[in-house]
Amino acid sequence: MSDEPIISDYKYIFQKDIFRGKVAFVTGGGTGIGFTITEILMRHGCDTIIASRKLDVLKNAAEKLSKATGQRCMPIQMDVRKPEAINRAIDEALGHFEKIDILINNAAGNFLCPAEQLSFNAFKTVMEIDAHGTFNVSKAVFDKYMKNNGGVVINITATLSIRGKFLQTHAGSAKAAIEAMTKHLAVEWGPNGVRMMCVAPGPIADTEGMRRLGGNRITDEFVKAIPFQRLGKREDIANAILYIASPAGELLTGTTVIADGGAWLTDSNNFWAVKNSPVYKQLSKM
Ligand code: NAP
Ligand code: COA
């Protein structure tokens, strides 16, 4: 069974059946934030497809999610960098559920690395998973379903590209590309009834992203400097998705909802301190 935590005391804000009869496709839905987004959509009556590279992880997650929510969850192996695999996955999903109303582009790859140490392939890899991956899956779902039926596409970005950041040239560039892409597609696909949105989480506790990027930076002092004085929870991001994807978000398109308790406003972004930190010295030796 999957190690991902199911929420034990979820407090319903919206009607429990707000997504009854809807189908959502979540990339990277087998772990982390994507897992909890999938869980909360399913708690509101949605059937789901979760897609990523590791089929065993997906199968375990799907079983756990279906057991906890009573909704259907279909695991499909797919690399967001491979258009043929994506087309096959979307065909399989549509063959089974006949519709995809909501697409969550959540799959991503990241690590801390100074630009000087980044290989050409490392930069390309993150751009391909995050930016190309978001385009690839969005286009396949649009061509095969949303073009004639409308829908909502929500891309998970980050607050990395609002300001220049140390060690994040690759992911910051990729997330900025996704936010620009979201605006362009909102214009082109608006007449087809497709809404395009981004949700940008800040630091979210109990996630792979935090383990990779937060490291020993997440001290009490770091948390206290966030206006809400807490890290985000996976649930915070999933609830933002719920609002955007629901009829309450009907006029939202082409923009980003930052869900971070104000963290980016006060993040000290002190590159000099990072440059002189043990983390940087370690990364520079690699
Ligand atoms: P995570 O658990 O590692 O989620 C990433 C998911 O993407 C995994 O399920 C992974 O599954 C999938 N994936 C990676 N490469 C893929 C590929 N080539 N094709 C298909 N799927 C792929 O990390 P997370 O922390 O929850 O992050 C989720 C999202 O939130 C990401 O977009 C991230 O940038 C964003 N975010 C996170 C934070 C945070 O604090 N955690 C902050 C800001 C933004 P497989 O390994 O099975 O492929
Ligand atoms: N620092 C610097 N470069 C790194 C790196 C790191 N920590 N990890 C990988 N790379 C480089 C590799 O060396 C390689 O470059 P090279 O061919 O010039 O040596 C390139 O990136 C691709 O690595 P590879 O392992 O072949 O890629 P992959 O496609 O198998 O995996 C990653 C993609 C690297 C992003 C991997 O970390 C991953 O799968 N991440 C998904 C989970 C995740 O990142 N979650 C957090 C989301 S915020």
Side-chain angles (χ1 to χ4, degrees):
M1 195 57 101
S2 164
D3 291 336
E4 296 295 327
I6 288 283
I7 302 162
S8 57
D9 57 348
Y10 184 70
K11 306 227 175 1
Y12 283 86
I13 302 158
F14 287 81
Q15 287 169 358
K16 283 188 177 182
D17 63 349
I18 197 161
F19 291 120
R20 178 84 48 218
K22 301 281 185 194
V23 176
F25 191 105
V26 184
T27 68
T31 67
I33 294 171
F35 178 90
T36 303
I37 291 171
T38 309
E39 177 187 341
I40 291 189
L41 288 169
M42 290 172 76
R43 282 184 180 278
H44 290 81
C46 200
D47 288 324
T48 58
I49 301 104
I50 52 175
S52 70
R53 295 165 300 175
K54 298 188 192 107
L55 189 58
D56 52 336
V57 172
L58 293 168
K59 280 184 175 163
N60 286 332
E63 197 187 328
K64 193 169 195 175
L65 288 164
S66 288
K67 207 169 151 197
T69 64
Q71 292 299 128
R72 292 178 294 172
C73 180
M74 184 183 199
I76 303 186
Q77 186 167 35
M78 182 192 91
D79 188 321
V80 296
R81 293 168 285 190
K82 301 191 173 146
E84 277 176 21
I86 296 168
N87 278 326
R88 271 199 306 275
I90 306 299
D91 285 342
E92 196 182 335
L94 288 173
H96 193 77
F97 290 114
E98 296 181 345
K99 63 200 312 235
I100 298 174
D101 305 288
I102 301 163
L103 166 64
I104 312 291
N105 284 304
N106 161 79
N110 199 4
F111 42 78
L112 292 176
C113 187
E116 203 180 340
Q117 302 283 127
L118 268 180
S119 70
F120 293 115
N121 191 39
F123 184 83
K124 181 175 166 216
T125 297
V126 173
M127 288 299 285
E128 281 187 347
I129 299 173
D130 296 21
H132 293 227
T134 296
F135 179 75
N136 294 342
V137 184
S138 301
K139 180 169 166 54
V141 171
F142 179 79
D143 288 350
K144 289 176 186 287
Y145 187 76
M146 289 189 182
K147 182 177 182 174
N148 295 320
N149 300 283
V152 187
V153 179
I154 305 175
N155 302 322
I156 308 300
T157 57
T159 54
L160 296 171
S161 58
I162 302 173
R163 296 185 289 169
K165 289 263 178 186
F166 214 48
L167 313 176
Q168 286 289 271
T169 300
H170 43 305
S173 303
K175 297 296 194 184
I178 295 171
E179 297 200 348
M181 187 194 308
T182 302
K183 295 189 188 101
H184 296 297
L185 294 180
V187 171
E188 286 204 23
W189 294 351
N192 300 78
V194 178
R195 295 199 286 115
M196 296 291 309
M197 287 293 291
C198 293
V199 170
I204 305 298
D206 186 27
T207 60
E208 182 61 21
M210 272 283 288
R211 278 186 283 278
R212 287 178 180 228
L213 312 183
N216 54 11
R217 213 164 65 92
I218 310 303
T219 57
D220 202 35
E221 201 182 339
F222 174 90
V223 175
K224 284 275 167 1
I226 298 171
F228 282 9
Q229 304 204 303
R230 69 169 177 88
L231 296 174
K233 292 183 286 184
R234 295 160 173 225
E235 224 174 299
D236 295 321
I237 305 307
N239 282 333
I241 298 277
L242 210 59
Y243 160 60
I244 294 167
S246 80
E250 220 166 59
L251 206 58
L252 301 179
T253 198
T255 192
T256 300
V257 170
I258 298 178
D260 74 342
W264 83 270
L265 296 167
T266 53
D267 178 356
S268 77
N269 201 22
N270 185 340
F271 86 97
W272 193 246
V274 178
K275 189 161 185 164
N276 289 299
S277 70
V279 174
Y280 179 75
K281 286 187 179 131
Q282 182 61 31
L283 289 168
S284 304
K285 271 193 238 138
M286 285 164 57

